[in-house]
Amino acid sequence: MNDELKYLAGRAAQGRVSRRAFMGRAAALGVGAGMASNMLASAVSAQGAVKGGMLRAGLQGGESTNTLDPALAASEVPAEVNYAWGEPLVEVGIDGSIEPRLASDISSSPDAKSWSFKVRSGVTFSNGKSLTADDIKATIERHTDENSQSGALGIVQGIESIDVSGDMVTLNLHTPNADLPYLMADYHLLIQPNGGKDDPTAGIGTGPYTVEINEPGVRHAFKKNPNYWDSDYGHADEVEILVINDNTARIAALQSGQVDMINRVDPKVVNLLRRDANVQIKNVAGRGHYVFIMHCNAEPFANNDMRMALKYAINRQEMVDKILGGLGTAGNDFPINAAYPLFDAGIEQREYDPDKAAFHYKASGHDGSPIILRAANAAFPGAVEAAQLFQQSAAAAGIPLELKREPDDGYWDNVWNVEPFCASYWSGRPVQDQMYSTAYLSTADWNDTKFYNEKFDNLLLAARAELNQTVRKQMYSDMAHILRDEGGLILPMFNDFVDAIGPRVAGWTDNPNGEMMSSRALYSCWVA
Amino acid sequence: MHPVIKLVAQRVALGILLLWIVSLLIFWGTEMLPGDVASAILGQSATPVSLANLREKMGLNDPAHVRYMRWFIGVLHGDLGTALTNGKDIASSIGSRLGNTLFLAFWAAIIAVPLSIVLGLVAARYAGRWPDKVISGVTLATISLPEFVVGYIAMFILAVNYRVFPSTALIYDSMTLWQKLNAIALPVIVLVLVVLAHMMRMTRAAILNVMQSAYIETAELKGLKQSTIISRHAFPNAIAPVVNVVMLNLAYLVVGVVVVEVVFVYPGMGQYLVDHVSKRDVPVVQACGLIFAAVYIGLNILADVISILTNPRLRHPK
């Protein structure tokens, strides 16, 4: 279906199919109008990509402690730096489908237990060596090794063995997983010669650029890789990333033309920035979300009536408006939204309802002592203000919330996962299975709501092995209902990614997979 | 032994003792912060197993005094150790950062010190009249604003509105000196504005103090010009307090510019220190702290020595 749509988008861009016909076909294929017009825009713009010139990005999320080892990347700048010189097997497209990169073809056994990737032919590393199946095998092996401290360890743990024959790599899994290609799109799993076992920080890969200057926490500069295989990426001759962690300095750098694009624009200043004719705000709904988490095994939250009372006592839309400045969407107490494949849009939105909250609060039999909510702005920007709003909306329902402000330092050590009720955030995962397995499965390492539900666990494991998408969608919908009505998660809002670009940038397409067009903006855009 | 040499030796020995105490204080301070380096690195992605692994790998399970002694012995051998977070050698990482910080401090000092002394002399010459009031008013206004506010205002006017200078002061090796100076123009302006008032006021006060003396009256009665009296008779006797303040401000230019470096994204020691403090990278924090303390103590010793040398009574004790 996607290939057909993409083909149509290309035809429409060339003017051989009318826009109206394209949108009609897209609707017939079950694609929403927003997504379809986005696809069309990207197809139109890709027709006119200009080669050459230089693009600069000023980014938050880089430290002088960063390295070029993709296994250790944990923030935005290393992720973006690594995509310049390296590539994964596959990537997730703007419509949530899997797109081939270094694997030109993907297939699975009928039970989804073994997956085969065909190595793209004619691709060379920037050191001149040809890409082979053995490099892919070695890369995955390196990330499986406990000592590599890879951020992708949890992802590759499910792989039992790796077979190589000719240009085919086959991954055999312990248990079936219909989402395996999504896991291989992870930003840690960039293919390196011999898997990077010789020198993980060499910065040698198959990406559109080669590393010229690498000064962690300061500046990263790249030159076009002349042997790059894909003409859709890497339009500018040179690209540069300046690490600008200060919010105001980043905006000033964009306004003064020192950089062409920036990430993480503070929602508080977005409306002021819109007045600058040279600046375009680019916000896109992603999967990241801000949360308040209750431990389901600790008093008073062990009582589901108490959890429901608090879920009804929060005003989600007010938080989207006041904390996110409107740049976000209201949550529904389960961590999935329309940015995920197989999302069930039919689940009823939970609204602020002081009467229901008061009813459940009474049913919980709580003794009326203050319920302590802990928050620090380390949890998410505006967490303390959000907790204050929560306190007030809960007070209207007669629920005594007491806000305890915690220091940013040590928040993840002393508060999160320790105290039974606190603010936190999640950046989301590419697929539902991964999000649920990471944080809501009984045995998950990061089960930060202490949610132990057998039915939920069974559904999750069954859905993982299910290749029939209709059945799978229903399973995920059932899980969402369980979590929404029984879980310890209060999810007031999904936050948009808010980036901004200057007048020299063309080819920007909104990408829900991550900020800065899923960390690839410098390589996908071109000089206008 | 010449009394001056003895005095200097005493000061240096005291300075070394101070440095040692500072190193203890820094270590103790980082121990008191909540959380350790392992939990700071892993943040929200921490699990008990990964925390234990990381602590084991970094040797964080040893008691505090063992870790302190291990570090202290290394420093005595000239080895500042490796950063816990990225495994890089601290001495080489700090080297270029320190160079950048000194580069910025040097250019700020080159402008600020002569300017403030000249302004101080002018203010003293016209004490109580309009030039004095304008100079004092303007410099006191700029020192009263926090430096990040001065920084943002300068950035807004000179980088965003008029695009005279770049808003971020990124410098790197391949730049020419002229390009570097252009890049650091804004932070230099801000630093000059921040340190100007202190030195200017001290010069003015010291000169006016000396102007009360009997020998100045004699000079006046001889019919000397006011400017000659100040430059020939008053200023040499006002050097000691001025030098002290100049040294304090020079030290500030090196160790106190953290905020300015962050605002202008300048790759100096301050930014480096902030990155590593937030990650609880104790060896780096200690190394930076030690360097900062050494700069402070060193410049203060220098100030003492200069004031001794400019004071004949101390130079030639009876």
Side-chain angles (χ1 to χ4, degrees), chain A residues 56 62-67 146-147 149 213-219 240 242-258 276 278 407 409-410 412-414 416-417 424-427 445-446 448, chain B residues 33-36 39 43-49 51 53-55 57 83 85-86 88 97 152 155-156 159-160 163 165-174 262-265 267 271-272 275-281:
Chain A
R56 271 207 187 99
E63 301 87 26
S64 44
T65 46
N66 297 146
T67 86
E146 295 270 352
N147 292 329
Q149 295 176 1
I213 290 159
N214 177 44
E215 290 181 48
V218 182
R219 184 172 86 111
E240 202 171 290
L242 307 183
V243 180
I244 309 180
N245 287 320
D246 186 87
N247 287 340
T248 315
R250 209 161 51 250
I251 290 171
L254 179 70
Q255 288 185 298
S256 64
Q258 221 181 350
D276 188 329
N278 284 325
D409 270 340
W412 303 113
D413 202 31
N414 302 331
W416 174 75
N417 238 347
S424 180
Y425 80 99
W426 280 98
S427 48
D445 280 341
W446 286 282
D448 59 7
Chain B
L33 290 172
D36 67 355
S39 62
Q44 191 245 29
S45 60
T47 64
V49 181
L51 275 176
N53 284 345
L54 203 58
R55 286 195 178 121
K57 186 171 167 261
T85 40
N86 61 359
K88 283 193 174 175
R97 295 296 187 123
Y152 287 146
M155 204 188 272
F156 178 71
V160 175
R163 301 202 177 188
F165 298 118
S167 65
T168 51
L170 276 169
I171 62 167
Y172 32 89
D173 293 340
S174 55
V262 171
V263 165
F264 289 104
V265 205
Q271 180 103 48
Y272 183 74
D275 278 358
H276 287 83
V277 166
S278 61
K279 290 274 194 300
R280 300 283 180 290
D281 200 332

Side-chain angles (χ1 to χ4, degrees), chain A residues 196-246:
Chain A
K197 286 177 179 173
D198 310 322
D199 181 4
T201 61
I204 302 288
T206 63
Y209 291 91
T210 55
V211 181
E212 284 290 305
I213 290 159
N214 177 44
E215 290 181 48
V218 182
R219 184 172 86 111
H220 305 267
F222 308 91
K223 270 212 159 60
K224 179 95 184 103
N225 174 2
N227 302 318
Y228 188 56
W229 59 275
D230 186 354
S231 60
D232 285 348
Y233 266 128
H235 303 299
D237 283 338
E238 287 175 71
V239 292
E240 202 171 290
I241 293 171
L242 307 183
V243 180
I244 309 180
N245 287 320
D246 186 87

Side-chain angles (χ1 to χ4, degrees), chain A residues 87-89 102-103 115 117-119 125 129-145 156 159-172 184 189-197:
Chain A
E87 284 178 299
L89 282 177
L102 291 181
W115 286 83
F117 297 85
K118 188 171 191 288
V119 181
F125 290 106
K129 185 187 170 305
S130 299
L131 171 73
T132 66
D134 288 319
D135 296 317
I136 293 169
K137 181 181 178 194
T139 299
I140 296 171
E141 277 174 359
R142 185 169 82 85
H143 290 270
T144 322
D145 182 5
V156 291
I159 298 171
E160 189 178 8
S161 64
I162 309 167
D163 297 332
V164 166
S165 79
D167 60 353
M168 294 295 277
V169 182
T170 306
L171 307 180
N172 303 305
M184 300 321 283
L189 295 177
L190 306 182
I191 308 302
Q192 295 172 278
N194 193 24
K197 286 177 179 173

Side-chain angles (χ1 to χ4, degrees), chain B residues 34-300:
Chain B
D36 67 355
V37 60
S39 62
I41 290 177
L42 292 172
Q44 191 245 29
S45 60
T47 64
V49 181
S50 60
L51 275 176
N53 284 345
L54 203 58
R55 286 195 178 121
E56 181 64 33
K57 186 171 167 261
M58 295 179 164
L60 296 174
N61 292 325
D62 296 332
H65 64 273
V66 174
R67 278 179 285 136
Y68 176 76
M69 283 314 292
R70 200 162 48 209
W71 172 80
F72 188 65
I73 291 168
V75 171
L76 291 183
H77 289 86
D79 175 18
L80 290 173
T82 52
L84 293 177
T85 40
N86 61 359
K88 283 193 174 175
D89 183 50
I90 294 174
S92 60
S93 310
I94 284 188
S96 64
R97 295 296 187 123
L98 183 62
N100 285 347
T101 292
L102 293 179
F103 181 74
L104 182 61
F106 173 79
W107 287 104
I110 283 277
I111 297 172
V113 174
L115 185 62
S116 61
I117 289 177
V118 168
L119 287 178
L121 294 175
V122 172
R125 166 73 180 78
Y126 298 101
R129 288 159 59 190
W130 70 265
D132 178 29
K133 286 182 178 156
V134 169
I135 291 170
S136 294
V138 171
T139 54
L140 286 178
T142 59
I143 202 180
S144 306
L145 283 172
E147 59 239 68
F148 68 91
V149 176
V150 181
Y152 287 146
I153 292 173
M155 204 188 272
F156 178 71
I157 296 172
L158 293 175
V160 175
N161 273 8
Y162 292 101
R163 301 202 177 188
V164 186
F165 298 118
S167 65
T168 51
L170 276 169
I171 62 167
Y172 32 89
D173 293 340
S174 55
M175 281 177 147
T176 61
L177 179 65
W178 182 247
Q179 284 172 326
K180 283 185 181 179
L181 290 180
N182 186 46
I184 65 167
L186 281 183
V188 164
I189 291 172
V190 171
L191 286 177
V192 167
L193 290 176
V194 169
V195 298
L196 206 54
H198 195 190
M199 291 189 281
M200 188 285 287
R201 294 289 293 183
M202 199 63 195
T203 310
R204 179 181 175 278
I207 301 258
L208 288 181
N209 192 27
V210 174
M211 297 293 272
Q212 313 290 325
S213 320
Y215 68 87
I216 298 291
E217 203 174 342
T218 313
E220 273 170 11
L221 293 175
K222 281 197 295 188
L224 291 181
K225 276 196 300 183
Q226 185 77 4
S227 50
T228 317
I229 295 173
I230 288 178
S231 60
R232 294 288 298 278
H233 297 273
F235 187 62
N237 286 304
I239 281 183
V242 172
V243 163
N244 268 312
V245 171
V246 168
M247 288 303 165
L248 269 182
N249 281 289
L250 289 187
Y252 172 82
L253 285 179
V254 177
V255 309
V257 297
V258 176
V259 177
V260 173
E261 285 187 3
V262 171
V263 165
F264 289 104
V265 205
Y266 186 74
M269 289 277 282
Q271 180 103 48
Y272 183 74
L273 179 64
V274 167
D275 278 358
H276 287 83
V277 166
S278 61
K279 290 274 194 300
R280 300 283 180 290
D281 200 332
V282 179
V284 176
V285 176
Q286 274 171 324
C288 291
L290 216 54
I291 289 174
F292 284 161
V295 168
Y296 232 104
I297 293 170
L299 285 173
N300 272 303

Side-chain angles (χ1 to χ4, degrees), chain A residues 175-196:
Chain A
T175 52
N177 189 346
D179 281 332
L180 185 92
Y182 285 94
L183 302 187
M184 300 321 283
D186 187 83
Y187 67 99
H188 299 98
L189 295 177
L190 306 182
I191 308 302
Q192 295 172 278
N194 193 24

Side-chain angles (χ1 to χ4, degrees), chain A residues 326-398:
Chain A
L327 299 169
T329 44
N332 202 8
D333 297 337
F334 64 100
I336 305 300
N337 64 355
Y340 281 90
L342 306 177
F343 168 70
D344 180 2
I347 300 176
E348 188 201 346
Q349 171 67 44
R350 180 167 284 146
E351 304 286 352
Y352 173 50
D353 190 333
D355 294 337
K356 277 188 186 162
F359 168 78
H360 283 287
Y361 178 67
K362 215 171 159 210
S364 77
H366 188 64
D367 60 7
S369 59
I371 300 163
I372 295 173
L373 168 61
R374 290 163 201 271
N377 282 335
F380 58 85
V384 175
E385 290 88 342
Q388 284 167 342
L389 289 176
F390 193 6
Q391 188 182 26
Q392 281 167 19
S393 60

